[in-house]
Amino acid sequence: MATDIEIARAAKMKPITEIGARLGIPDESLEPYGRFKAKIAMDWINQQADKEDGKLILVTAINPTPAGEGKTTTSVGLNDGLNRIGKNSIVCLREPSLGPCFGVKGGAAGGGYAQVVPMEDINLHFTGDFHAITSAHNLLSAMIDNHIYWGNALEIDTRRITWRRVLDMNDRALRQIVNSLGGVSNGYPRETGFDITVASEIMAILCLATSIEDLEESIGNIIIGYRRDKTAVRARDINAHGAMTVLLKSAIQPNLVQTLENNPAFIHGGPFANIAHGCNSVTATKTALKLADYVVTEAGFGADLGAEKFFDIKCRKADLKPSAAVIVATVRALKMNGGVAKADLGKEDVEAVKKGVVNLLRHIENVKQFGVPAVVAINNFITDTEAEVQAIKEAVAAVGSEAFVCTHWANGSAGTEELAKRVVEIAESGQSQFAPLYPSDMPLFEKINTIATRIYRADEAIADSSVRNQLHQWEKDGFGHLPICMAKTQYSFTTDPTKLGAPSHHTVPVREVRLAAGAGFIVAICGDIMTMPGLPKVPSAEHIRLENGQIEGLF
Amino acid sequence: MATDIEIARAAKMKPITEIGARLGIPDESLEPYGRFKAKIAMDWINQQADKEDGKLILVTAINPTPAGEGKTTTSVGLNDGLNRIGKNSIVCLREPSLGPCFGVKGGAAGGGYAQVVPMEDINLHFTGDFHAITSAHNLLSAMIDNHIYWGNALEIDTRRITWRRVLDMNDRALRQIVNSLGGVSNGYPRETGFDITVASEIMAILCLATSIEDLEESIGNIIIGYRRDKTAVRARDINAHGAMTVLLKSAIQPNLVQTLENNPAFIHGGPFANIAHGCNSVTATKTALKLADYVVTEAGFGADLGAEKFFDIKCRKADLKPSAAVIVATVRALKMNGGVAKADLGKEDVEAVKKGVVNLLRHIENVKQFGVPAVVAINNFITDTEAEVQAIKEAVAAVGSEAFVCTHWANGSAGTEELAKRVVEIAESGQSQFAPLYPSDMPLFEKINTIATRIYRADEAIADSSVRNQLHQWEKDGFGHLPICMAKTQYSFTTDPTKLGAPSHHTVPVREVRLAAGAGFIVAICGDIMTMPGLPKVPSAEHIRLENGQIEGLF
């Protein structure tokens, strides 16, 4: 079979205006970026407000393993499948980050015959959204140090500035720096550092914003640091929110591209899935719901992190009502959950599948706790055997759900037809009774404990009194209604990445809590969370080059 | 009269495909960015190689003063004037930097009825070129620290790394930092810092590149630092040049926009005019020459810096033959050169004009030294009096040149018709006998001295033996053929910004020399050169915001 990049290059893309026309978007409301990418005009989007919403389908997954699950690929495949069976469907995905492209991972635009195109553009600068976020973030940073330089009228405690800088780059050397060295004209030296752009609170804000006004309001709310008396200083106090919003004027507009089968795809926003909520933008999802009967969207990592945040943060904020969820699993990943090493995945091992499938079953149960019916997509690999697949199907059936073998990677939409039909049945039955896991007025630590016990199946969440006191203080300060954004390892239900399967009776220690007053959530950090990745010994960048006008080595 | 922004907003822009069609660019070779900006496909550009070149007109100026000269405005006005009199003409300008937009200065897209549009886009992210340069630059930075982190096989001396990082932001706090703090996993702490993106060597390289292959070659040549034995380490040794070129794949393509009068404008590249050569890209200029009878282009700062570098660096590298030069002056600026304070510029002062005009006359003489005929554009202000204008015209006539009052700011192309006609006469007469000031094989310090004595009219250039030894070493290392890029104050012919008029018999002290092995020039630094600006006490960013979908406060 051809490689991903060969398939992508052989794609017969249609002009983006044609894809837009299918969605009813007039030419003049489509702002082209090249011939195969476009942003949709906000004015036009706002005019669609009275239209009825389509049905929202979440694609989530088991806990990720080195074997790979294929959540994006399956989202694209399901979208093509829905269109194949006559439904007007749009897939909403996250934008890939530029930084990791030059590290170990290749592109993030699906795979095989289930890809979004133009793949190279999507993986590089795309429509400049992440660059705009980097600029807006760093403008605030510059204005903070500038404010201090010119007299610090706001009396910011330079030791308590929480706002760092960002670059869309894997650069460990910038994690921790001392800035403003070199004398009087460069300001007051202080410790700070850089995160990768996807970890910027601006990214989370942009992805949760429901309008440009909401975006500006949320940016103004950002807490950039504290005074000596510990009162908060906000971006609004620095007068930065207006200019930052101007920088994000185009970035908030959803990006339209297409799948290999010429079906519409919105690729917009890409916040971290640990210290942020890990979903594509609310503007993209809500716009898609106005334009299509079906909208397929994905959440970050496994369902314990991704789906929970999708439901409790994104759906809560944007008032979304998902109709069904698809949980992606692979025979290989379940075998790893069942104790098989990566090197041995090529051999049939039905017992390992039966042992590892508990991870999948737990995610099914969890999604149902939100009132959302769930089915399973078994993302097919050539090495999968009939007996292994059967073991998954039986286990899934035993908990009242269904699993479908999906061969979209090899066959495109033909490989997801069965899944698509079942998703439509479920969605049209109206059986989804979505509700968030916890009410907004629950005390903050109780929210954390609810996620830990009901989703992670821990006995309890624990935290030092300093963490609990901080949460109490925030409740007093008026932040008690915010949802929780859990930052823990994606590899396990527990905080120990080596504990695969479906562990119970562990504890979830909350090491630190952070207030994202702009984005509107409280981050509970459980374990080491890296917000600026490094490059590996031989970065993939060393092999990336142009050859005869084509990009080699990127994927 | 309406403000710049009101005029720009009232512009009746034509679809960029229509502007492209006028130049013979087929739709499929025009990559739109929105409806009014486009990049031109490199494939198509390469196919135009056999076409005859149009005539190249340089717009330069007297030494800048706080009164303002209007070089960009005059370039746009002249282009409109040439089109008005029936010539097919394109104006080639530099892209504005994002950083200064949030500091003190407004936009940089012309003014009055001589503007390029869409003005807001051009001043903000435009087509993402500067963001691409920032990414490419910082990828190299990350790969250098990463190389050291993983064992430093190249034995780079971490004290001798000359490659810094860049952001398109005015941020003095980043001028000097210590990175890699925080322990083992963050690398080896060392001193470094950030420059603004326009000061990146990548910017200079991109603007001097004659093809994508030349771009990659030049990037590979960049010296990132030295070993303990002082041998150079290049970007090629880090294996970064391929991926950096991929990041710049679109950035090298010229950007097409239009003037208020719907005439074509290329806005592409914007290197610093002190530590770099300060001209728009070679690809834009050369492409424009293939597509039009006339190409109007501008150089940075006054003619002593800008025109000299345009001739000696850009024209030499790209084998360009300018047909004429227009030197922009204003009555106000010449009065300042004649000793009048800014507050008193509103009053007629013919004597001050007569005194200050020496600055202009010196620039006329200088341009003629390159074999290029020069005329003067007096960029008209309402306060200019007939007698003041007459004083300039007479002084200019006395040195064998001509001055034309240009009212493009108020009247658009009607205000430059006379200038345009004269420019055409000169260009078509074929009288230009362009040659660079010095031959490539002249010793490096002699090149510096030639510029200092013949252009700045100093008695000599002086330098410590360390500087002279460094130049000798570079000659031995094979860099003796490179041109010189002078970095000195733009406000005076001397290195003292307060010495206006036409001072002579000064000395030019060269404090430091830097090798830009990628860009292909040697920077001679004479005085304090700032490569990362700061923000003022009240940055303009504080007043920038969206109001009813329109950007307020940016201009």
Side-chain angles (χ1 to χ4, degrees):
Chain A
M1 186 169 146
T3 63
D4 287 358
I5 184 72
E6 286 164 357
I7 295 168
R9 282 185 187 149
K12 297 265 180 290
M13 285 189 281
K14 291 192 177 161
I16 201 64
T17 45
E18 208 173 301
I19 306 294
R22 240 177 71 189
L23 299 173
I25 309 172
D27 256 30
E28 63 270 21
S29 300
L30 217 49
E31 297 169 13
Y33 283 66
R35 302 181 64 226
F36 303 107
K37 299 165 283 177
K39 282 191 170 282
I40 307 172
M42 284 306 274
D43 285 356
W44 187 83
I45 289 174
N46 293 337
Q47 288 161 17
Q48 314 308 309
D50 293 338
K51 281 195 185 161
E52 209 169 312
D53 281 333
K55 293 187 190 304
L56 181 59
I57 313 298
L58 171 69
V59 174
T60 181
I62 59 172
N63 291 89
T65 70
E69 287 68 45
K71 203 166 45 194
T72 302
T73 306
T74 304
S75 301
V76 173
L78 174 58
N79 185 54
D80 284 338
L82 286 163
N83 278 286
R84 183 187 183 90
I85 63 170
K87 298 296 169 186
N88 182 3
S89 176
I90 302 174
V91 64
C92 289
L93 301 172
R94 290 168 294 166
E95 292 181 57
S97 172
L98 192 56
C101 277
F102 300 109
V104 279
K105 93 194 246 289
Y113 286 94
Q115 296 187 50
V116 279
V117 282
M119 178 183 177
E120 288 149 334
D121 295 25
I122 293 167
N123 278 294
L124 290 171
H125 307 291
F126 198 28
T127 58
D129 294 339
F130 285 19
H131 291 317
I133 291 166
T134 303
S135 293
H137 186 116
N138 293 334
L139 174 61
L140 178 54
S141 312
M143 289 177 77
I144 293 166
D145 277 303
N146 190 60
H147 175 86
I148 295 163
Y149 176 84
W150 286 104
N152 198 7
L154 290 168
E155 299 184 330
I156 301 166
D157 183 342
T158 57
R159 304 163 307 175
R160 288 193 171 95
I161 297 172
T162 48
W163 193 255
R164 293 157 49 95
R165 286 174 175 81
V166 297
L167 275 182
D168 194 8
M169 190 62 66
N170 288 12
D171 191 348
R172 69 170 69 72
L174 292 178
R175 284 175 190 153
Q176 204 167 324
I177 69 168
V178 170
N179 71 3
S180 292
L181 295 170
V184 171
S185 61
N186 296 348
Y188 296 85
R190 63 181 185 86
E191 282 186 69
T192 182
F194 282 71
D195 298 317
I196 191 165
T197 299
V198 291
S200 165
E201 189 175 346
I202 305 293
M203 175 68 86
I205 289 171
L206 185 94
C207 290
L208 288 170
T210 52
S211 67
I212 194 95
E213 294 76 20
D214 182 45
L215 176 71
E216 182 167 6
E217 175 71 20
S218 298
I219 289 174
N221 288 341
I222 291 169
I223 292 175
I224 62 95
Y226 299 87
R227 298 182 183 85
R228 283 189 75 110
D229 65 5
K230 298 194 184 165
T231 55
V233 179
R234 293 172 183 265
R236 189 174 293 112
D237 303 323
I238 301 284
N239 282 325
H241 54 303
M244 292 166 72
T245 305
V246 165
L247 281 170
L248 297 168
K249 185 175 179 279
S250 297
I252 198 179
Q253 299 173 233
N255 303 303
L256 176 65
V257 291
Q258 63 191 289
T259 68
L260 289 177
E261 299 191 9
N262 309 121
N263 293 314
F266 284 179
I267 305 200
H268 193 220
F272 248 29
N274 47 38
I275 60 145
H277 64 290
C279 305
N280 74 276
S281 79
V282 163
T283 53
T285 304
K286 288 188 83 116
T287 303
L289 286 167
K290 295 297 180 194
L291 306 184
D293 305 326
Y294 280 83
V295 173
V296 178
T297 190
E298 64 169 344
F301 296 147
D304 54 331
L305 279 171
E308 189 271 316
K309 292 179 187 189
F310 172 78
F311 292 137
D312 281 326
I313 299 178
K314 181 175 174 179
C315 291
R316 189 192 305 258
K317 163 89 197 260
D319 198 22
L320 299 171
K321 310 272 182 219
S323 294
V326 172
I327 304 176
V328 181
T330 60
V331 167
R332 292 157 55 88
L334 291 177
K335 281 198 281 195
M336 287 196 87
N337 268 286
V340 175
K342 196 176 174 191
D344 300 326
L345 288 176
K347 285 179 288 192
E348 176 176 278
D349 192 338
V350 178
E351 285 315 302
V353 171
K354 286 181 178 170
K355 195 167 160 226
V357 79
V358 292
N359 185 272
L360 171 61
L361 303 183
R362 165 96 40 104
H363 288 295
I364 298 173
E365 281 174 24
N366 281 351
V367 168
K368 286 183 180 170
Q369 288 193 67
F370 293 87
V372 177
V375 291
V376 172
I378 304 173
N379 183 16
N380 181 247
F381 272 69
I382 300 168
T383 51
D384 297 353
T385 71
E386 185 56 40
E388 289 172 329
V389 167
Q390 202 51 42
I392 300 173
K393 286 192 168 184
E394 283 168 15
V396 168
V399 297
S401 183
E402 290 162 276
F404 298 87
V405 174
C406 295
T407 62
H408 45 285
W409 188 83
N411 303 320
S413 62
T416 55
E417 215 179 302
E418 202 190 355
L419 173 69
K421 283 180 181 159
R422 185 65 189 122
V423 163
V424 167
E425 276 174 21
I426 293 170
E428 295 190 351
S429 74
Q431 62 183 275
S432 180
Q433 297 287 327
F434 169 70
L437 189 71
Y438 52 82
S440 294
D441 60 4
M442 184 185 271
L444 291 171
F445 193 77
E446 211 179 312
K447 289 177 184 168
I448 296 172
N449 202 55
T450 300
I451 297 168
T453 55
R454 290 186 53 194
I455 302 295
Y456 307 160
R457 312 301 173 99
D459 286 338
E460 59 173 347
I462 55 170
D464 286 350
S465 59
S466 65
V467 166
R468 288 168 182 263
N469 290 343
Q470 179 64 80
L471 293 172
H472 288 312
Q473 185 59 49
W474 285 334
E475 283 163 356
K476 280 184 210 157
D477 293 344
F479 299 109
H481 64 289
L482 295 182
I484 301 296
C485 181
M486 297 297 285
K488 75 158 182 68
T489 178
Q490 66 267 39
Y491 298 113
S492 170
F493 279 106
T494 75
T495 57
D496 175 352
T498 65
K499 295 261 187 321
L500 306 189
S504 297
H505 300 303
H506 51 283
T507 57
V508 173
V510 179
R511 207 175 62 179
E512 183 193 339
V513 283
R514 293 183 196 166
L515 172 59
F521 52 68
I522 281 161
V523 184
I525 294 178
C526 317
D528 288 324
I529 299 299
M530 173 65 64
T531 52
M532 174 52 100
L535 292 169
K537 185 159 187 179
V538 182
S540 62
E542 293 195 21
H543 306 296
I544 296 172
R545 62 194 63 237
L546 277 182
E547 270 171 37
N548 305 317
Q550 287 200 318
I551 300 169
E552 301 295 340
L554 185 56
F555 309 101
Chain B
M1 187 169 144
T3 63
D4 287 359
I5 183 72
E6 285 165 356
I7 295 168
R9 282 186 187 148
K12 297 267 178 286
M13 286 189 280
K14 290 191 177 163
I16 199 65
T17 45
E18 208 173 302
I19 306 294
R22 241 177 71 188
L23 299 173
I25 310 172
D27 256 30
E28 62 271 20
S29 300
L30 217 48
E31 297 169 14
Y33 283 65
R35 303 181 61 225
F36 303 107
K37 298 164 283 176
K39 281 191 169 285
I40 307 173
M42 284 305 274
D43 285 356
W44 186 83
I45 290 174
N46 293 337
Q47 288 161 18
Q48 314 309 309
D50 294 338
K51 282 195 185 161
E52 210 170 311
D53 280 333
K55 295 189 188 303
L56 181 58
I57 312 300
L58 172 69
V59 175
T60 181
I62 59 171
N63 291 90
T65 70
E69 287 68 43
K71 202 167 44 194
T72 302
T73 305
T74 304
S75 301
V76 173
L78 175 58
N79 185 55
D80 284 338
L82 286 164
N83 278 285
R84 183 187 184 90
I85 62 169
K87 298 296 170 187
N88 182 3
S89 177
I90 302 174
V91 63
C92 290
L93 302 171
R94 290 169 294 167
E95 293 181 57
S97 171
L98 191 55
C101 277
F102 299 109
V104 278
K105 95 193 245 287
Y113 286 94
Q115 295 188 50
V116 278
V117 282
M119 176 184 180
E120 288 149 335
D121 295 26
I122 292 168
N123 278 294
L124 290 171
H125 307 291
F126 199 28
T127 59
D129 294 340
F130 285 18
H131 291 316
I133 290 166
T134 303
S135 293
H137 186 117
N138 293 334
L139 173 61
L140 178 54
S141 313
M143 288 176 79
I144 293 166
D145 278 302
N146 190 59
H147 176 86
I148 294 164
Y149 177 85
W150 287 104
N152 198 8
L154 290 169
E155 298 183 335
I156 302 165
D157 183 343
T158 57
R159 303 163 308 175
R160 289 192 171 95
I161 297 171
T162 48
W163 193 254
R164 293 157 49 96
R165 287 175 174 82
V166 297
L167 276 182
D168 194 7
M169 189 63 64
N170 287 13
D171 191 350
R172 71 171 66 75
L174 292 177
R175 284 174 190 155
Q176 204 167 323
I177 68 167
V178 170
N179 71 4
S180 292
L181 295 170
V184 171
S185 61
N186 297 348
Y188 296 85
R190 64 183 184 86
E191 281 186 69
T192 183
F194 283 70
D195 297 318
I196 191 165
T197 298
V198 291
S200 166
E201 189 175 347
I202 306 293
M203 176 69 84
I205 290 171
L206 185 94
C207 290
L208 288 170
T210 52
S211 67
I212 193 95
E213 294 75 21
D214 182 44
L215 176 73
E216 182 166 6
E217 176 70 20
S218 298
I219 290 174
N221 288 341
I222 292 169
I223 292 176
I224 62 97
Y226 299 86
R227 298 182 183 83
R228 284 189 74 110
D229 65 6
K230 298 195 185 164
T231 55
V233 180
R234 292 173 183 267
R236 188 176 292 110
D237 303 324
I238 301 283
N239 283 323
H241 54 303
M244 291 167 73
T245 305
V246 166
L247 281 169
L248 297 168
K249 184 175 180 281
S250 298
I252 198 178
Q253 298 172 235
N255 303 304
L256 176 65
V257 291
Q258 62 192 288
T259 69
L260 289 177
E261 298 191 11
N262 309 121
N263 293 315
F266 284 179
I267 303 199
H268 193 219
F272 247 29
N274 47 39
I275 60 146
H277 63 291
C279 305
N280 73 275
S281 80
V282 164
T283 53
T285 305
K286 287 189 84 115
T287 303
L289 285 167
K290 295 298 178 193
L291 305 184
D293 305 325
Y294 280 83
V295 173
V296 178
T297 191
E298 64 169 344
F301 295 148
D304 55 329
L305 279 170
E308 188 272 313
K309 293 179 187 189
F310 172 78
F311 293 136
D312 281 326
I313 300 178
K314 182 175 174 178
C315 292
R316 188 191 305 258
K317 163 86 196 263
D319 198 21
L320 299 171
K321 310 272 183 221
S323 294
V326 173
I327 304 176
V328 181
T330 59
V331 168
R332 292 158 55 88
L334 291 177
K335 282 199 280 195
M336 287 196 87
N337 268 285
V340 176
K342 197 177 173 191
D344 299 327
L345 289 175
K347 284 180 286 193
E348 176 176 280
D349 192 339
V350 178
E351 286 315 303
V353 171
K354 285 181 180 168
K355 194 167 161 226
V357 79
V358 293
N359 186 272
L360 170 61
L361 303 183
R362 165 88 50 93
H363 288 296
I364 296 172
E365 281 174 24
N366 281 349
V367 167
K368 287 183 180 170
Q369 289 194 66
F370 293 88
V372 178
V375 291
V376 172
I378 304 173
N379 183 16
N380 180 248
F381 272 69
I382 301 168
T383 52
D384 297 354
T385 72
E386 186 57 41
E388 289 172 328
V389 167
Q390 202 51 40
I392 299 174
K393 286 191 169 183
E394 283 167 17
V396 169
V399 298
S401 184
E402 290 162 276
F404 298 88
V405 174
C406 295
T407 61
H408 45 285
W409 188 83
N411 302 321
S413 62
T416 55
E417 215 178 304
E418 201 189 357
L419 173 69
K421 282 179 182 158
R422 184 67 189 120
V423 163
V424 167
E425 276 172 22
I426 293 170
E428 295 189 352
S429 74
Q431 63 183 275
S432 179
Q433 297 287 327
F434 170 70
L437 188 71
Y438 51 82
S440 294
D441 60 5
M442 184 184 272
L444 291 172
F445 194 76
E446 212 179 311
K447 290 176 185 168
I448 295 172
N449 202 55
T450 300
I451 298 167
T453 54
R454 291 186 54 197
I455 302 296
Y456 306 160
R457 313 301 173 97
D459 286 338
E460 59 173 347
I462 55 169
D464 286 350
S465 59
S466 65
V467 166
R468 288 167 181 265
N469 291 342
Q470 178 64 78
L471 293 172
H472 288 314
Q473 186 59 49
W474 285 334
E475 283 163 355
K476 281 185 208 155
D477 294 344
F479 298 110
H481 64 290
L482 294 182
I484 301 296
C485 181
M486 297 297 283
K488 75 155 182 66
T489 177
Q490 65 268 37
Y491 298 112
S492 171
F493 280 105
T494 75
T495 57
D496 176 352
T498 65
K499 296 262 187 317
L500 306 189
S504 296
H505 301 303
H506 50 283
T507 57
V508 173
V510 180
R511 206 174 63 178
E512 183 194 339
V513 282
R514 292 182 195 167
L515 172 59
F521 52 68
I522 282 161
V523 184
I525 294 178
C526 317
D528 288 324
I529 298 300
M530 174 64 65
T531 52
M532 173 53 99
L535 291 169
K537 185 159 186 178
V538 182
S540 62
E542 293 195 22
H543 305 295
I544 295 172
R545 61 195 63 238
L546 277 181
E547 268 171 38
N548 304 319
Q550 287 199 318
I551 300 170
E552 301 295 341
L554 185 55
F555 311 101

